[in-house]
């Protein structure tokens, strides 16, 4: 049951029907689109959804026969009567459509596993090759009757061609004679009038040419004459043409008699062709709106994810607009969703989406939702959308709504889906709200399922306290004063009436008076709703950032783990190689010594021989020393890798979220000696927040506390003793050079926020090191975002004493003047 009668136009299904009809290739397909209707039978819906799913797969993955889908059923019905036959255009249409049917049936052959439903339907169709063979023997590919359709027709056409060729030659000769005599123009050509060849002759010479005048030009200056000597031949050709026509009629009658016994079997084939055209049109529409054939049950329920309004989706598809999908859940526990929120916030679109998608699904159409969605089957869909006032029936807007509500309560049950827009409006708010609450209570008692939109606060309270009814809110950004078009289930929405009124410029006096009339309780209720929505968005953004940071942290840990494993593998390989090399060197040395001793004994300590053996021993020794140097180099490389691995082991627990032990923090204070990352040693003069001012001789610098390492006084002395005397002069010389080149102004215009902050940080550090207190940062005006970011950073830096705009004549708000407190 669908209520009211204009249901389809109210939910815009008539436009869906029009879009699908546009994809049809034949009138019979369009007729099926017009017949498409709502069904509550599970088997029928299931079959239609399977058909559409298979056809969508075909259109995405395969080349489907897409030729001519002509409806030949009227032609075939006509020749059921004895004596009637098809004319040539009908014969051509029949031939083309039968060829398309044969191609479609061939496509589905052997595809039972891939497309079981469509293949089963195609298997029920019976076509007779004899019919198509007869058509091929009669009709040419150009849509004419073939010469060999019969032997008599072929002979007639040969005679016509022969006589026409003779006439053509004779007419050319007569035309040349007339031109020679001056009776016809030189550029004149033979013309055709009433199917007969004629010679154009000036009217002044028409008596000079023997023949019949068939026509004259519009001005009367030219006459078209058929010469006497070819009149008889033309008459013979005309008789042959009439005979040709009679023979073609005989051929067509014979063909009609031949296929008349097959007509009853051919009609269902065209029903199948209409079904193919219709289903293909639905599949193309489904692909266009990125729809699916969803999972469903026979229970009346909805579990929709990423549900999109089809018409809005197609409208936004090729634009830069974004359609926000909806999530809707309706079941026995959460039967009715009461949606509230601001005007133009998307409530009505959400309501219409629910009705349209459910109706489309039960009409056998694909629906634009995610694959995780699940649909149910409703036996009744009842809607109350828009104004139904009627002057003829003496109905006001509110009266029409009440009539609808009466029918909803009367016919509503567990298998009913009701869709009500602006529930309770149209009459005095207090009374209308009370009646609406009573109707909502009755619908809930009948276990009706539904989506309802409202602005009434009493209905929001009722939904919060009543099992089976759930509040829903269309979200609104009250900072930017714009709707977000997102449906959130579980809390009521605010109408934002005061905010919207303020945005459009209503005076503060009027708004204050309105607030006093409404009462503090109502204002606070609306304010609390907004605060809840704001806080929820804030914490959702926080959770998102934490999730992103955890993901990056996991990536860093994974990277370090891989590097450690690679370093450990490389270290083991180098140590193993070095050990093997040492064994080889030791064996070679022992061998050399044993050979030398043996040779000395054999030569009985001959001085010359002994000297040579000693020289050989020395050469071998030098070789061993060279190899020893190589071994020493390998050992240094191993030590380097060990240090790197130890360093990474120390770093990894700090970055890993899995570590349960944190290194104990060393508390630094004024007067402590510390070592900087560049190994320089200095004394802490002051600590501000997380930064410390360090004295390096006569130089002061600002360093983050977590980069400092505390050292003892003995280590400081040792550092001073071991330091090269030339370090400090070089350092002073470098500082002097930097001071000469330093400019107390930087330009960060056009930079992104992060890049600009990094440059400002480096600039401040260099200024502190060079004892430059007055600085200028050129950031421009623009939108003011870069200026705000830089000043927020300056306000948190302990070295910044003050900052302000530059003088107007020197740049004003486009430049920030900074004074350092050093």
């Amino acid at each position: 049951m669908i209520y009211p009668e204009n249901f389809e136009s109210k939910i815009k299904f008539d436009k869906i029907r029009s879009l699908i009809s546009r994809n049809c290739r034949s009138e019979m397909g369009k007729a099926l689109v017009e017949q498409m209707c709502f069904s509550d039978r599970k088997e029928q819906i299931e079959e239609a959804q399977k058909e559409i799913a298979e056809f969508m797969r075909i259109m995405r993955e395969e080349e489907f026969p897409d030729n001519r889908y002509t409806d030949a059923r009227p032609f075939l019905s006509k020749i059921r009567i004895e004596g009637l036959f098809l004319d040539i255009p009908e014969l051509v249409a029949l031939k083309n459509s039968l060829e398309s049917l044969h191609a479609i049936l061939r496509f589905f052959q052997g595809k039972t596993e891939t497309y079981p439903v469509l293949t089963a339907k195609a298997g029920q169709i019976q076509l007779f090759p004899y019919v198509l063979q007869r058509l091929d023997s009669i009709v040419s590919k150009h849509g004419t009757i073939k010469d060999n359709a019969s032997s008599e027709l072929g002979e007639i056409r040969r005679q016509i061609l022969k006589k026409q060729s003779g006439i053509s030659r004779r007419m050319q000769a007569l035309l040349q004679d007339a031109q020679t005599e001056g009776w016809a123009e030189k550029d004149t050509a033979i013309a055709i009038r009433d199917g007969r060849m004629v010679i154009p002759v000036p009217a002044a010479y028409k008596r000079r040419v023997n023949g019949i005048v068939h026509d004259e030009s519009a001005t009367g200056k030219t006459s078209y004459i058929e010469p006497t000597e070819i009149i008889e031949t033309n008459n013979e050709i005309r008789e042959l043409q009439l005979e040709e026509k009679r023979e073609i009629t005989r051929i067509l009658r014979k063909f009609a008699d031949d296929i008349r016994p097959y007509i009853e079997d051919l009609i269902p084939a065209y029903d199948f062709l209409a079904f193919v055209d219709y289903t293909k049109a639905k599949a193309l529409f489904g692909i266009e709106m990125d729809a699916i054939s969803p999972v469903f049950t026979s229970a009346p329920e909805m579990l929709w994810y990423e549900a999109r309004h089809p018409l809005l989706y197609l409208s936004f598809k090729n634009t830069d607009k974004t359609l926000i999908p909806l999530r809707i859940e309706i079941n026995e526990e959460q039967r009715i969703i009461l949606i509230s929120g601001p005007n133009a916030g998307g409530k009505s679109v959400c309501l219409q989406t629910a009705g349209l998608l459910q109706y489309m699904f039960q009409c056998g159409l694909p629906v634009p939702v995610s694959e995780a969605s699940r649909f149910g089957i409703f036996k009744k869909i009842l809607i109350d959308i828009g104004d139904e006032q009627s002057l003829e029936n003496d109905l006001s807007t509110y009266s029409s709504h009440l009539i609808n509500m009466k029918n909803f309560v009367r016919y509503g049950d567990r298998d009913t889906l009701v869709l009500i827009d602006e529930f309770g409006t149209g009459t005095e708010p207090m009374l209308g709200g009370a009646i609406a609450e009573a109707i909502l209570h009755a619908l809930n008692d009948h276990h009706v399922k539904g989506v309802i939109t409202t602005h009434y606060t009493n209905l929001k309270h009722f939904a919060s306290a009543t099992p089976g009814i759930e509040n829903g809110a269309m979200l609104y950004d009250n900072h930017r004063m714009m709707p977000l078009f997102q449906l959130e289930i579980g809390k009521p929405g605010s109408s934002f009436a005061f905010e919207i009124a303020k945005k459009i410029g209503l005076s503060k006096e009027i708004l204050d008076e309105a607030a006093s009339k409404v009462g503090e309780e109502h204002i606070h209720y609306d304010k609390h709703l907004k605060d809840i929505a704001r806080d929820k968005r804030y914490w959702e953004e926080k959770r998102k950032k934490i999730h992103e940071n955890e993901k990056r942290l996991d990536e860093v840990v994974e990277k370090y783990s891989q590097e450690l494993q690679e370093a450990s593998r490389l270290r083991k390989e180098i140590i193993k190689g070095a050990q093997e090399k040492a064994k080889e060197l030791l064996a070679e040395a022992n061998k050399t010594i044993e050979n030398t001793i043996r040779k000395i004994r054999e030569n009985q300590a001959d001085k010359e021989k002994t000297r040579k053996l000693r020289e050989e021993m020395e050469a071998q020794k030098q070789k061993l020393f060279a190899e020893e140097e190589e071994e020493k180099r390998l050992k240094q490389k191993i030590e380097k890798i060990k240090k790197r691995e130890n360093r990474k082991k120390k770093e990894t627990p700090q970055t890993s979220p899995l570590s349960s032990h944190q290194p104990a923090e060393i508390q630094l204070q004024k007067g402590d000696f510390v070592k900087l990352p560049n190994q320089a040693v200095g004394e802490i003069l002051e600590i501000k927040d997380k930064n410390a001012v360090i004295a390096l001789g006569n130089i002061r610098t600002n360093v983050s506390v977590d980069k400092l390492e505390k050292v003892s006084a003995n280590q400081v002395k040792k550092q001073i003793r071991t330091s090269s005397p030339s370090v400090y002069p070089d350092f002073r010389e470098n500082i002097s050079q930097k001071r000469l080149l330093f400019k107390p102004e930087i330009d960060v215009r056009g930079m992104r926020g992060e890049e600009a902050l990094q440059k400002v940080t480096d600039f401040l550090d260099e200024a502190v090191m060079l004892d430059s207190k007055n600085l200028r940062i050129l950031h421009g005006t623009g939108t003011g975002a870069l200026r705000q970011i830089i000043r927020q950073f300056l306000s948190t830096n302990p070295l910044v004493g003050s900052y302000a705009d530059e003088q107007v004549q020197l740049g004003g708000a486009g430049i920030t003047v900074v004074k350092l407190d050093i």
Side-chain angles (χ1 to χ4, degrees), residues 76-123:
L76 296 173
S77 298
K78 180 177 77 171
I79 62 174
R80 281 174 171 167
I81 302 173
E82 194 78 28
L84 295 182
F85 58 90
L86 302 177
D87 56 27
I88 294 177
E90 292 173 339
L91 204 67
V92 173
L94 178 64
K95 179 177 180 291
N96 292 335
S97 59
L98 284 177
E99 286 176 346
S100 296
L101 270 167
H102 276 273
I104 291 170
L105 295 181
R106 282 197 302 271
F107 174 85
F108 285 113
Q109 285 180 357
K111 295 185 178 179
T112 305
E113 294 184 1
T114 312
Y115 311 116
V117 178
L118 294 177
T119 303
K121 276 188 172 291

Side-chain angles (χ1 to χ4, degrees), residues 151-189:
S151 57
E152 293 81 0
L153 181 63
E155 181 60 30
I156 292 170
R157 286 181 173 176
R158 279 193 295 272
Q159 292 182 23
I160 292 173
L161 184 60
K162 181 179 178 181
K163 289 185 178 296
Q164 285 177 340
S165 299
I167 288 178
S168 179
R169 288 194 298 270
R170 184 58 188 154
M171 286 290 290
Q172 286 293 339
L174 292 172
L175 177 61
Q176 289 177 3
D177 292 343
Q179 290 172 339
T180 303
E181 295 293 336
W183 302 336
E185 301 292 338
K186 294 295 184 182
D187 58 349
T188 299

Side-chain angles (χ1 to χ4, degrees), residues 621-659:
K621 179 181 176 183
Q622 293 300 326
K623 181 182 177 183
L624 288 174
F625 283 157
E627 292 180 350
E628 186 178 352
E629 288 296 325
E630 177 67 15
E631 184 179 356
K632 188 181 296 183
R633 188 183 67 80
L634 288 172
K635 287 183 178 179
Q636 289 175 352
K637 189 173 182 180
I638 292 170
E639 289 299 323
K640 185 177 180 181
I641 291 172
K642 283 183 178 180
K643 289 179 180 179
R644 181 185 175 192
E645 185 177 352
N646 290 334
R647 185 170 66 252
K648 288 188 180 292
K649 284 181 179 178
K650 291 178 181 178
E651 292 174 358
T652 301
Q654 297 173 4
T655 60
S656 172
L658 303 177
S659 176

Side-chain angles (χ1 to χ4, degrees), residues 23-135:
N23 293 329
C24 292
R25 299 292 299 274
S26 68
E27 292 301 320
M28 55 184 176
K30 293 178 181 179
L32 288 181
V33 173
E34 291 303 316
Q35 296 170 18
M36 178 173 57
C37 60
F38 174 85
S39 172
D40 58 6
R41 292 173 52 202
K42 181 182 178 182
E43 298 77 12
Q44 187 175 351
I45 296 172
E46 184 175 17
E47 184 178 11
Q49 290 293 340
K50 286 180 178 178
E51 291 167 357
I52 196 71
E54 290 183 6
F55 229 116
M56 287 173 68
R57 182 179 172 188
I58 289 173
M59 301 309 294
R60 287 190 178 107
E61 300 176 3
E62 309 225 25
E63 194 72 28
F64 189 75
D66 192 15
N67 299 323
R68 302 174 183 87
Y69 293 171
T70 308
D71 187 4
R73 290 175 295 188
F75 313 154
L76 296 173
S77 298
K78 180 177 77 171
I79 62 174
R80 281 174 171 167
I81 302 173
E82 194 78 28
L84 295 182
F85 58 90
L86 302 177
D87 56 27
I88 294 177
E90 292 173 339
L91 204 67
V92 173
L94 178 64
K95 179 177 180 291
N96 292 335
S97 59
L98 284 177
E99 286 176 346
S100 296
L101 270 167
H102 276 273
I104 291 170
L105 295 181
R106 282 197 302 271
F107 174 85
F108 285 113
Q109 285 180 357
K111 295 185 178 179
T112 305
E113 294 184 1
T114 312
Y115 311 116
V117 178
L118 294 177
T119 303
K121 276 188 172 291
Q124 298 171 5
I125 303 305
Q126 185 177 9
L127 289 179
F128 299 93
Y130 167 76
V131 178
L132 194 55
Q133 289 171 6
R134 288 283 288 118
L135 284 166

